[in-house]
């Protein structure tokens, strides 16, 4: 399985000639991040905000046979049951023996019911910047709840990109002393059943 990070919360997931994109953002909606311009067989969005639902940035093409089993879990964009920012959809994608979870703009600690629906996860894409989503501490609790082997931080501020009001990824990494942190000089990552456990920080 190949993962490509376009910045913010946007990822492309590819397997066997088939691809999906999650949470493409509108041009100019995320400071310092180039517009999404790619192809895929399908597009999924966690919620209807412009920095997560720009399906026009993805050209739909016919690829190979669909290798993914996709389900959604209802959640909230805040810790007040959506009264502040509305809903958030978690996407759970199974391929072969791997389970990938994209948490979208999760705004709260997962409930027992949500954890039961998701199950344990091999790969988790988790927002860590706070303000609009869970913060670093809650993100760490969340990946521990999910027993995640491979953790991919997203929705944070970096040098020259991201919203000023959200925190840098270093706040989250500082809490991950019990995990191996690996920084990549690329925006792609190949994952197999043999990929070692890690917090993978990609470069978009």
């Amino acid at each position: 399985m190949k993962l490509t990070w376009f910045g913010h919360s946007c990822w492309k997931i590819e397997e066997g000639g088939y691809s999906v994109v999650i949470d493409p953002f509108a041009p100019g909606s995320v400071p310092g991040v180039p517009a999404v311009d790619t192809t895929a067989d399908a597009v999924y969005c966690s919620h209807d905000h412009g920095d997560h639902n720009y399906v026009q940035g993805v050209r739909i093409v016919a690829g190979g046979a669909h290798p993914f089993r996709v389900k959604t879990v209802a959640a909230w964009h805040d810790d007040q049951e959506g009264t502040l920012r509305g809903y958030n959809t978690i996407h759970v994608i199974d391929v072969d023996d791997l389970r990938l979870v994209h948490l979208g703009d999760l705004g709260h600690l997962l409930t027992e019911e949500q954890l039961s629906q998701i199950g344990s996860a091999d790969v988790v894409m988790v927002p860590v910047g706070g303000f609009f989503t869970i913060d670093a501490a809650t993100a760490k609790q969340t990946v521990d709840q999910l027993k995640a082997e491979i953790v991919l931080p997203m929705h944070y501020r970096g040098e020259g990109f991201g919203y000023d009001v959200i925190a840098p990824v270093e706040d989250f990494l500082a809490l991950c002393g019990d995990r191996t942190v690996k920084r990549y000089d690329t925006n792609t990552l190949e994952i197999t059943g043999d990929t070692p456990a890690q917090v993978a920080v990609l470069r978009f």
Side-chain angles (χ1 to χ4, degrees):
M1 179 171 58
K2 179 182 179 182
L3 306 180
T4 301
W5 186 45
F6 290 95
H8 204 48
S9 297
C10 182
W11 296 83
K12 185 173 185 176
I13 305 162
E14 301 173 77
E15 176 68 22
Y18 192 94
S19 62
V20 301
V21 170
I22 303 180
D23 278 11
F25 47 84
S29 63
V30 185
V33 181
V36 176
D37 182 15
T38 191
T39 60
D41 294 89
V43 184
Y44 303 118
C45 301
S46 63
H47 61 290
D48 289 330
H49 290 171
D51 58 331
H52 292 264
N53 72 345
Y54 190 69
V55 296
Q56 299 92 323
V58 183
R59 298 181 301 282
I60 301 300
V61 296
H66 197 325
F68 302 127
R69 300 178 300 281
V70 183
K71 72 174 181 179
T72 59
V73 176
W76 303 111
H77 198 326
D78 54 62
D79 59 1
Q80 303 296 318
E81 296 190 343
T83 58
L84 300 179
R85 298 187 180 92
Y87 73 90
N88 175 68
T89 299
I90 297 168
H91 288 89
V92 181
I93 299 177
D94 289 314
V95 55
D96 296 328
D97 294 327
L98 293 173
R99 172 164 294 172
L100 180 148
V101 178
H102 185 289
L103 290 169
D105 264 9
L106 183 66
H108 58 90
L109 196 63
L110 294 171
T111 65
E112 290 300 321
E113 181 180 355
Q114 289 162 340
L115 287 169
S116 176
Q117 292 179 62
I118 296 170
S120 58
D122 299 290
V123 183
V124 174
M125 297 153 170
V126 57
V128 301
F131 195 85
F132 299 113
T133 68
I134 54 176
D135 60 13
T138 308
K140 179 60 166 61
Q141 286 181 269
T142 301
V143 297
D144 288 345
Q145 281 182 309
L146 293 169
K147 300 179 174 62
E149 291 290 313
I150 298 171
V151 178
L152 296 154
M154 63 181 185
H155 209 284
Y156 58 81
R157 171 170 49 87
E159 186 174 351
F161 69 88
Y163 300 122
D164 289 342
V165 293
I166 62 178
V169 70
E170 284 74 18
D171 288 11
F172 175 70
L173 300 181
L175 303 174
C176 294
D178 59 335
R179 295 173 177 264
T180 299
V181 175
K182 295 187 68 173
R183 294 181 182 267
Y184 294 84
D185 194 26
T186 176
N187 70 330
T188 63
L189 181 65
E190 294 277 356
I191 294 178
T192 70
D194 296 324
T195 301
Q198 61 186 276
V199 177
V201 182
L202 304 189
R203 181 176 182 179
F204 75 87

